[in-house]
Amino acid sequence: MASTQQPVQHIEQLQSANPVEVYGALRTIKNAIIGSNAKKAVYYRLQIVPHVSALLAMDDTDVQIRIQATTIVSSLAHKGEEIAQQLAEGAMAPLISQLVPGTDTELMEASERALNALLGYTATQTGVDEQAPLMIPYLLDIISEARSSAQIYEMRVHARVELAVLLLEKLCVTEARQFMVANTGVMDLLVPLLQRGYARLQVATLRAFAALSYENMEISRALATVTHDGRQFPVVVADLARHRDADIRLHASLCLANLSRMRALNEARSAQGVAVTALVGLLRGGEVARLRVIEALGYMCHEDAEIQMAAKNAGAVGDLIAILAEIEGQAGEDFV
């Protein structure tokens, strides 16, 4: 009984006029729900969502209270799409306002993590048409400031830039948003990040480019002409498709697959061969999800006889037959 009464008491304390009591309740709730889906479910049933949304929406809410409430939003968003949608309705705008330059650094970073968690679902990604134009300039500022900082090689700075780039990726789910992001000059801003030597940031940047170019011929062709240090974008990405890190190879290949499908690699046909070779190699390695590799290879080969032949010559047919045999064998074992 006590375990049921305590969450109720904590929720009631969120309505207190005493900020110390509100802070204490939020901190207790935060510590309880992080890593516990059961506790998240309890507080969700007790209407935690409108309470934290209301605290974030108030102009005079204390910074420390905001940090706790924002962290709760981030944790709850991982519970599932339904909760994330409800949180997005009430908390998205306040979270974006907490990205304004001059905001407390801890609060700003907590807000970025919360936004990344909220935008982890298709429904929330497509539902932020009004907020996206407000969010994009702040994300670009984070990337720009880090690029010009002497601290670019510090892990914390890298992590923050990575998060900003991932948020840009999650916004590029419609053609209108792709153009909205592309028209900011983001291509020239992001390409140098591919050569920073920080694997997570390289993967995030490749994911952003893949989202930006997917099924968009105009952006794909513009991207193919971008240069950095005298090297064109497809050449830079083709080098990454040969990288020792499997995730980098995969996402570089996905990026090249998008450009290839949009006929944007006519001046860099060799990059297509690099991508095909990388994808076929990933089929055999088992280091990344093979379904993603198969989808990318199929997408790239669609209605392109030259790439189909390149995939065949690289051994893709035999590898795919072996995967089918493996799947059939596993299915057969289910009935033993």
Side-chain angles (χ1 to χ4, degrees), residues 59-332:
D59 293 334
D60 59 349
T61 300
D62 179 77
V63 168
Q64 293 305 315
I65 289 176
R66 285 187 178 278
I67 291 171
Q68 299 298 318
T70 300
T71 306
I72 287 171
V73 169
S74 185
S75 182
L76 287 173
H78 291 293
K79 181 72 169 66
E81 187 169 23
E82 181 182 348
I83 294 180
Q85 282 185 278
Q86 291 184 32
L87 286 165
E89 290 174 6
M92 185 72 75
L95 289 174
I96 294 171
S97 71
Q98 291 174 179
L99 299 179
V100 175
T103 300
D104 177 87
T105 302
E106 186 179 355
L107 176 58
M108 192 180 291
E109 292 178 0
S111 302
E112 292 156 15
R113 290 191 294 271
L115 286 166
N116 189 52
L118 286 177
L119 292 175
Y121 308 93
T122 301
T124 50
Q125 290 171 3
T126 56
V128 292
D129 283 335
E130 292 183 10
Q131 294 90 347
L134 304 175
M135 198 184 313
I136 291 169
Y138 297 137
L139 300 177
L140 297 179
D141 283 345
I142 292 168
I143 299 167
S144 298
E145 288 174 13
R147 279 188 59 197
S148 61
S149 170
Q151 297 177 315
I152 186 62
Y153 295 104
E154 288 189 9
M155 189 69 71
R156 183 173 180 179
V157 175
H158 269 148
R160 191 164 178 224
V161 175
E162 175 195 350
L163 202 53
V165 174
L166 287 173
L167 283 166
L168 284 175
E169 175 220 349
K170 290 175 179 179
L171 292 176
C172 293
V173 293
T174 65
E175 184 180 85
R177 299 250 205 91
Q178 287 174 319
F179 282 114
M180 185 186 298
V181 173
N183 290 338
T184 64
V186 72
M187 296 180 194
D188 292 324
L189 189 64
L190 293 183
V191 171
L193 300 180
L194 293 174
Q195 298 180 302
R196 284 294 181 186
Y198 178 50
R200 287 174 59 99
L201 180 54
Q202 289 172 303
V203 169
T205 305
L206 289 166
R207 285 176 56 174
F209 279 128
L212 195 61
S213 60
Y214 181 70
E215 291 289 310
N216 192 313
M217 184 172 291
E218 184 177 340
I219 290 178
S220 293
R221 291 183 173 178
L223 187 54
T225 66
V226 174
T227 60
H228 178 63
D229 288 343
R231 303 171 72 224
Q232 285 193 312
F233 176 78
V235 176
V236 173
V237 178
D239 281 349
L240 292 174
R242 302 184 183 97
H243 200 279
R244 65 182 180 275
D245 184 288
D247 277 335
I248 291 177
R249 292 201 305 276
L250 171 63
H251 289 284
S253 300
L254 293 175
C255 217
L256 291 172
N258 285 358
L259 299 189
S260 174
R261 186 66 181 272
M262 293 296 102
R263 303 293 187 263
L265 291 177
N266 293 334
E267 301 301 319
R269 296 289 288 180
S270 62
Q272 291 177 316
V274 172
V276 169
T277 301
L279 289 170
V280 174
L282 287 166
L283 279 178
R284 301 167 186 160
E287 299 162 284
V288 296
R290 287 188 297 185
L291 178 59
R292 296 195 68 189
V293 179
I294 293 168
E295 289 173 342
L297 196 56
Y299 181 69
M300 199 171 181
C301 289
H302 183 69
E303 295 183 350
D304 193 314
E306 184 178 339
I307 295 178
Q308 290 168 1
M309 185 58 67
K312 178 183 176 183
N313 293 340
V317 174
D319 292 331
L320 291 169
I321 290 173
I323 291 171
L324 284 173
E326 179 185 330
I327 293 170
E328 286 186 1
Q330 291 173 348

